[in-house]
Amino acid sequence: MSTVTASPEERTAELEARIRQAPEKFRVMTGDRPTGPLHLGHYFGTLHNRVRLQDLGVEVFVIIADYQVLTDRDVAERLAEHMEAMLLDYLAVGIDPARSTVFNHSAVPALNQLMLPFLSLVSVAELNRNPTVKDEIAHSRQSAVSGLMFTYPVHQAADILFCKGNLVPVGQDQLPHLEVTRTVARRFNERYGAVFPEPDALLSAAPLLLGTDGTKMSKSRGNSIALGATADETARLIKGAKTDAERHITYEPETRPGVASLVLLAALCLDRDPHAVAEEIGGGGAAALKRTVTDAVNSRMAPIRARRAEYAQDMGYVRSVLRAGNERADAVAAATLDEVRGVMGGVL
Ligand code: TRP
């Protein structure tokens, strides 16, 4: 087994085998920014995978990254509402609070305190090279880059390392951040003694879903289908999706991104191969494609949406899930911070 030359994809395959053998050796750490409703890109990219790992017996920590909202905007708008919607989404897809810990940044002070020693371990030049941060700066609503935007991959290292997470299920765009976390863990251990694991990325098998406008599906770009959307809203969004002038439907992500993304969405919902789905629609054109996608999304999401509506009837319970998660995360973070203080000289 060569870990030096393995690509992230090869490493992922190897990890999957080890997870099946010994799920108790892994602790998954992942999360989302509460900037708006979670959508189908999240579902197929990561939520589905989190639940799968949880069900395999891996301990899962899920962060609602509220401070991270402030990386690309001045004020976190409708934060409480977005956090509650996110909790509903988590519960609806099958995150089980008896087995998984859901918490948020601002409720766990010791996690945030870890960011200070961690910042001392990375150089400004390294932070400057992060391609995902560069892309986010390009799409930011702010005219100037804040220190929080620039350093948030280090904050994310604290998110992952506070609970000694060793497995981070992510999409390709988060790989540079995971490199920062690995660097922080390695340097900390070199300077102060072995405290942290060097976490591995677990790449999602699902290819990137595009939004209805043909660019990356993103809650902040207004081009996404929310998990909690109604069947009618879903139909309307898909109806307005961008296709192209060619009638015959094919699956060619490079040359026909709009059409391919719709085909992919149907294929993911139906658990089928996108080429087969495209072939079946063939000469039916964009109208048939959109009908297929709408039906596929609505039937795949129906049980999730029904559960979501049920939980929404009991917001007291939903809030108690976060409260309990925060208490547990707080205890874990305090223990890690104590250990960090100890190895750093017992004062810091
Ligand atoms: N940056 C992640 C995103 O935008 C959210 C996130 C915050 C995260 N902290 C994390 C993901 C820790 C994995 C691990 O989706």
Side-chain angles (χ1 to χ4, degrees), residues 186-199:
R186 192 174 55 249
R187 290 189 187 147
F188 187 95
N189 293 346
E190 278 163 13
R191 264 179 221 183
Y192 303 109
V195 171
F196 294 111
E198 264 184 66

Side-chain angles (χ1 to χ4, degrees), residues 29-33 63 65 68 105 136 152 156 159-160 168-170 174 177:
M29 172 61 221
T30 181
D32 306 279
R33 294 200 306 157
I63 187 166
Q68 213 181 87
H105 268 146
E136 283 164 347
Y152 92 80
Q156 203 158 305
D159 298 344
I160 297 168
V168 187
V170 287
Q174 296 286 310
H177 298 346

Side-chain angles (χ1 to χ4, degrees), residues 25-269:
K25 295 212 170 115
F26 293 92
R27 186 174 268 187
V28 161
M29 172 61 221
T30 181
D32 306 279
R33 294 200 306 157
T35 50
L38 292 176
H39 53 64
L40 294 173
H42 294 113
Y43 182 71
F44 289 109
T46 163
L47 296 174
H48 187 52
N49 202 25
R50 289 179 202 170
V51 175
R52 181 183 67 92
L53 291 163
Q54 166 195 275
D55 293 349
L56 281 171
V58 178
E59 187 177 9
V60 179
F61 278 74
V62 183
I63 187 166
I64 298 179
D66 52 355
Y67 278 138
Q68 213 181 87
V69 173
L70 297 174
T71 52
D72 66 353
R73 61 203 78 198
D74 295 342
V75 181
E77 278 159 27
R78 294 154 69 196
L79 190 59
E81 179 191 325
H82 290 326
M83 285 175 61
E84 287 180 0
M86 197 163 267
L87 282 164
L88 283 174
D89 289 333
Y90 290 158
L91 293 168
V93 299
I95 299 279
D96 173 6
R99 291 176 287 166
S100 297
T101 303
V102 181
F103 69 102
N104 61 299
H105 268 146
S106 62
V108 185
L111 179 161
N112 296 296
Q113 191 171 335
L114 284 173
M115 188 174 175
L116 295 175
F118 287 179
L119 278 169
S120 76
L121 299 166
V122 291
S123 72
V124 169
E126 282 169 325
L127 291 173
N128 220 357
R129 277 198 292 269
N130 188 307
T132 299
V133 173
K134 279 188 190 158
D135 185 59
E136 283 164 347
I137 286 171
H139 284 100
S140 161
R141 303 177 182 187
Q142 296 173 305
S143 51
V145 181
S146 76
L148 188 63
M149 167 65 104
F150 193 61
T151 56
Y152 92 80
V154 182
H155 197 193
Q156 203 158 305
D159 298 344
I160 297 168
L161 297 177
F162 95 92
C163 67
K164 303 192 181 176
N166 58 1
L167 202 57
V168 187
V170 287
Q172 291 279 354
D173 66 324
Q174 296 286 310
L175 284 177
H177 298 346
L178 202 70
E179 258 337 291
V180 174
T181 299
R182 292 169 60 86
T183 301
V184 164
R186 192 174 55 249
R187 290 189 187 147
F188 187 95
N189 293 346
E190 278 163 13
R191 264 179 221 183
Y192 303 109
V195 171
F196 294 111
E198 264 184 66
D200 272 301
L202 193 72
L203 278 179
S204 152
L208 195 69
L209 261 185
L210 298 180
T212 49
D213 61 354
T215 73
K216 178 181 166 184
M217 193 181 275
S218 154
K219 14 185 182 8
S220 38
R221 292 182 200 181
N223 63 358
S224 56
I225 301 168
L227 285 188
T230 64
D232 286 349
E233 283 161 1
T234 303
R236 201 168 341 111
L237 281 161
I238 292 170
K239 199 158 179 226
K242 209 161 141 181
T243 51
D244 57 34
E246 205 177 311
R247 178 163 179 91
H248 197 86
I249 299 304
T250 54
Y251 181 61
E252 291 167 283
E254 293 297 320
T255 50
R256 305 183 70 186
V259 167
S261 191
L262 286 170
V263 171
L264 177 62
L265 181 52
L268 289 169
C269 289

